């Protein structure tokens, strides 16, 4: 098999891994090739909102595991290929010199065993850095079950590492990925987290030395392959951020690529659920929300009509309206239509004088949304209403966007343009097939109601 054929197979196989943005890694050029800047490798956005890298490949798709949801599962009949270390290096350097890429995102199926796979990936990044003088951005997957020394050494050469948990509950792992026990997934995350802290402390004390995974670690969760509720997924993300200091948790709508009674019979990927989880994740990281504020056991899934922040505001209308000239920063962040930058500008501007609604427009506040929750100098906005139904309708209409005729799902190709055959224009719904028996069979594998989250006590290793 020639290199172009391998590239076609292994670039396509990598498209299901979404956790590939750089998020702030920097690495200076030391008389070599390339720089890693904060912009990173993900500089292109697909029309479904995903950040796409041109060189995003698997080292191999020849996997020893048989995870039910994965297109590369060992029992699946798909074309198989593996790169050699020299082939990955050649591709990376040639694509970089042609200005096609800014770095490398390298993942892999588990070839032979975890340590063997990790050793091959380590060989690639070492040669890129030491022999070819490549100082661009590199993100690799840490392989659960690999020797700790291999992971530690690889972390000194790369900008980011990630360990994909994939499934958000113990039961999901047991049913769909029995060869991946929870502890095996969490152990390398714990190891990387501790090593990052240790490395930062050493650099603080001794002022010199190489950085260990300077852009941090991330993970990915699949949404819709198991019956786990949004609350369970969000609480797991909250625990991962708190315990492992992750840079990002990525959410990937389950794409049905294989047929199996243990999987849900989906018509479309649950892209709306994925979108809502990203919105809620942002609220956890930058807006001071907690998972239990956004969802509850009585309301475990996100509202399909309202974004999580607007939905929270609707459930807490008794707290509003607030006076923009005196409200605390933390409360301003909870107003729909006010973002982090807008809230900071409000705090700065009101030191000079009292604000009006015209001032808020210039600051960047979206008054179509925020107007129902604010007063300026005791006055309400023109469209203000205390009627819950009117406020909800206003928030929904403010969110509506013109529908595009076509929505093309897929990864950019190195060989040809994405065609415009597209899919149904309303791709954001999470729909099961019309055959209830298929999904009753799927749910039968989860015979007891599952809380769905990895408990905090379990995350501490």
């Amino acid at each position: 098999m020639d290199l172009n054929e391998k590239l076609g197979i292994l670039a396509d196989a990598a498209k299901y891994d979404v956790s590939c943005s750089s998020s702030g890694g920097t690495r200076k050029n030391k008389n070599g090739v390339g720089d890693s800047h904060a912009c990173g490798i993900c500089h292109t956005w697909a029309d479904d909102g995903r950040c796409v890298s041109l060189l995003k490949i698997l080292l191999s798709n020849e996997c020893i595991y048989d995870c039910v949801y994965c297109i590369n599962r060992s029992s699946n009949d798909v074309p198989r290929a593996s790169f050699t270390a020299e082939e990955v290096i050649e591709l990376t350097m040639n694509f970089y010199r042609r200005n096609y890429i800014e770095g490398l995102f390298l993942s892999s199926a588990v070839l032979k065993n975890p340590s063997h796979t990790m050793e091959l990936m380590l060989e690639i990044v070492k040669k890129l850095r030491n022999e070819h003088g490549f100082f661009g951005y590199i993100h690799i997957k840490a392989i659960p079950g690999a020797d700790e020394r291999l992971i530690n050494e690889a972390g000194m050469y790369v900008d980011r590492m990630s360990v994909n948990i994939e499934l958000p509950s113990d039961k999901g792992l047991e049913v769909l990925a029995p060869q991946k026990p929870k502890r095996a997934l969490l152990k390398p995350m714990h190891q990387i987290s501790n090593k990052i802290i240790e490395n930062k402390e050493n650099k603080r004390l001794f002022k010199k030395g190489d950085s260990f995974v300077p852009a941090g670690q991330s993970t990915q969760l699949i949404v819709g392959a198991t019956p786990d509720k949004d609350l369970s997924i969000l609480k797991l993300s909250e625990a991962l951020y708190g315990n492992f200091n992750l840079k990002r948790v990525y959410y990937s709508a389950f794409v049905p690529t294989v047929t199996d009674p243990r999987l849900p019979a989906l018509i479309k990927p649950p892209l709306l659920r994925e979108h809502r989880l990203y919105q809620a994740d942002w609220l956890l990281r930058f807006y001071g929300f907690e998972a239990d504020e956004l969802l509850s056991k009585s309301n475990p899934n996100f509202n399909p009509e309202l974004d999580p922040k607007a939905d929270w505001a609707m459930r807490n209308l008794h707290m509003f309206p607030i006076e923009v000239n005196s409200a605390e920063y933390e409360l301003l962040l909870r107003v729909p239509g006010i973002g982090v930058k807008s809230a900071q500008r409000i705090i700065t501007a009101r030191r000079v004088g009292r604000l009006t609604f015209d001032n808020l427009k210039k600051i960047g506040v979206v008054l179509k949304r925020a107007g129902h929750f604010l007063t300026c100098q005791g006055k309400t906005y023109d469209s203000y209403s205390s009627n819950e139904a009117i406020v909800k309708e206003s928030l929904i209409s403010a969110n509506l966007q013109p529908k595009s005729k076509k929505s093309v799902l897929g990864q950019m190709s190195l060989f040809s343009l994405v065609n415009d055959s597209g899919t149904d224009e309303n791709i954001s719904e999470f729909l099961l097939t019309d055959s209830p028996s298929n999904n009753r069979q799927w749910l039968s594998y989860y015979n007891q109601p599952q809380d769905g989250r990895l408990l905090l006590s379990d995350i501490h290793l």
Side-chain angles (χ1 to χ4, degrees):
M1 185 181 293
D2 66 28
L3 189 57
N4 279 345
E5 289 179 297
K6 288 185 180 181
L7 184 58
I9 293 170
L10 295 171
D12 185 68
K15 68 186 179 184
Y16 300 102
D17 198 322
V18 299
S19 56
C20 60
S21 65
S22 61
S23 301
T26 56
R27 186 180 292 270
K28 293 182 179 180
N29 190 320
K30 301 175 182 177
N31 299 317
V33 178
D35 283 284
S36 174
H37 295 287
C39 58
I41 63 174
C42 288
H43 46 64
T44 303
W45 294 89
D47 65 349
D48 61 345
R50 297 173 190 268
C51 198
V52 179
S53 168
L54 290 180
L55 187 59
K56 175 184 168 187
I57 55 175
L58 298 185
L59 173 64
S60 173
N61 69 342
E62 300 178 51
C63 195
I64 63 171
Y65 294 153
D66 198 33
C67 302
V68 177
Y69 56 86
C70 184
I71 193 171
N72 298 315
R73 61 194 264 193
S74 59
S75 61
N76 201 22
D77 185 18
V78 295
R80 303 289 179 173
S82 295
F83 285 125
T84 65
E86 292 305 323
E87 286 172 335
V88 175
I89 293 167
E90 179 187 350
L91 285 170
T92 303
M93 299 304 296
N94 285 338
F95 278 132
Y96 188 89
R97 290 188 178 110
R98 287 167 173 78
N99 204 30
Y100 291 164
I101 64 167
E102 297 177 62
L104 172 66
F105 174 83
L106 183 63
S107 185
S108 183
V110 180
L111 181 65
K112 294 186 179 179
N113 60 66
S115 290
H116 174 74
T117 310
M118 197 71 220
E119 192 169 11
L120 290 175
M121 297 175 79
L122 173 59
E123 179 186 353
I124 291 168
V125 296
K126 281 181 72 173
K127 286 185 176 179
L128 277 171
R129 297 296 195 206
N130 296 337
E131 296 180 17
H132 295 269
F134 181 75
F135 290 94
Y137 180 86
I138 299 179
H139 176 171
I140 67 169
K141 294 290 176 184
I143 307 299
D147 190 293
E148 290 185 12
R149 292 172 296 177
L150 296 173
I151 294 176
N152 283 342
E153 188 175 358
M156 302 305 295
Y157 293 98
V158 302
D159 298 281
R160 170 165 288 186
M161 296 181 80
S162 51
V163 182
N164 286 355
I165 292 179
E166 305 286 12
L167 301 174
S169 66
D170 294 351
K171 189 64 176 179
L173 288 168
E174 180 185 328
V175 172
L176 300 182
Q179 295 164 295
K180 293 182 178 179
K182 178 185 64 181
R183 185 173 181 82
L185 297 173
L186 294 176
K187 186 177 180 181
M189 296 180 74
H190 190 267
Q191 175 190 344
I192 294 167
S193 176
N194 287 343
K195 191 69 176 178
I196 290 172
I197 294 171
E198 178 187 330
N199 179 262
K200 286 181 178 178
E201 182 63 18
N202 287 339
K203 291 190 73 175
R204 186 184 69 82
L205 292 174
F206 302 110
K207 308 300 181 184
K208 293 183 179 180
D210 294 328
S211 295
F212 181 86
V213 193
Q217 66 169 322
S218 59
T219 192
Q220 173 178 290
L221 298 174
I222 296 175
V223 180
T226 62
D228 296 294
K229 305 296 185 184
D230 293 339
L231 174 61
S232 302
I233 297 172
L234 196 63
K235 286 186 75 69
L236 171 58
S237 298
E238 187 177 52
L240 292 172
Y241 282 127
N243 288 275
F244 298 136
N245 197 29
L246 263 64
K247 287 290 186 180
R248 287 293 302 273
V249 175
Y250 291 86
Y251 307 93
S252 177
F254 172 62
V255 179
T257 57
V258 292
T259 302
D260 191 284
R262 290 166 287 181
L263 294 172
L266 293 175
I267 294 175
K268 301 172 184 176
L271 295 181
L272 180 57
R273 285 190 70 191
E274 177 191 295
H275 180 56
R276 289 285 183 257
L277 283 163
Y278 273 119
Q279 290 175 318
D281 186 276
W282 207 259
L283 296 179
L284 295 182
R285 294 164 59 214
F286 301 111
Y287 287 74
F289 282 86
E290 296 180 0
D292 288 329
E293 293 181 279
L294 299 171
L295 295 170
S296 63
K297 288 184 179 179
S298 60
N299 180 37
N301 290 313
F302 288 112
N303 189 330
E305 296 182 315
L306 294 172
D307 65 83
K309 188 178 179 182
D311 186 57
W312 176 87
M314 288 300 302
R315 288 184 280 107
N316 292 275
L317 281 176
H318 61 279
M319 298 175 60
F320 301 101
I322 62 171
E323 172 54 51
V324 75
N325 286 290
S326 58
E328 295 181 355
Y329 173 75
E330 291 75 17
L331 188 53
L332 288 172
L333 285 177
R334 296 186 171 230
V335 176
I338 296 182
V340 173
K341 288 186 177 179
S342 297
Q344 291 170 347
R345 289 169 184 164
I346 289 171
I347 297 297
T348 301
R350 70 188 190 188
R351 293 172 185 159
V352 180
R354 296 181 68 77
L355 301 177
T356 65
F357 286 111
D358 286 337
N359 298 141
L360 294 183
K361 284 183 182 179
K362 294 176 182 178
I363 282 173
V365 174
V366 182
L367 288 176
K368 285 184 179 179
R369 293 164 58 79
H372 297 286
F373 304 95
L374 296 175
T375 61
C376 280
Q377 302 183 44
K379 297 177 182 179
T380 58
Y381 190 56
D382 294 342
S383 61
Y384 170 80
S385 174
S386 59
N387 184 291
E388 183 175 340
I390 294 175
V391 175
K392 182 177 180 180
E393 184 62 31
S394 176
L395 290 171
I396 292 173
S397 62
N399 279 339
L400 292 179
Q401 300 291 333
K403 289 185 177 181
S404 59
K405 291 184 179 180
K406 296 287 184 181
S407 192
V408 180
L409 299 177
Q411 178 167 274
M412 294 180 70
S413 171
L414 290 166
F415 309 105
S416 61
L417 295 175
V418 178
N419 65 50
D420 61 355
S421 59
T423 58
D424 184 87
E425 64 183 31
N426 184 13
I427 196 66
S428 64
E429 297 176 62
F430 173 30
L431 299 175
L432 298 173
T433 63
D434 294 330
S435 174
S437 61
N438 287 348
N439 292 301
R440 278 199 295 270
Q441 187 177 11
W442 168 59
L443 289 169
S444 70
Y445 289 97
Y446 304 84
N447 50 17
Q448 294 181 350
Q450 294 292 315
D451 180 50
R453 67 179 184 273
L454 295 173
L455 299 176
L456 291 176
S457 58
D458 293 333
I459 290 178
H460 288 295
L461 295 181

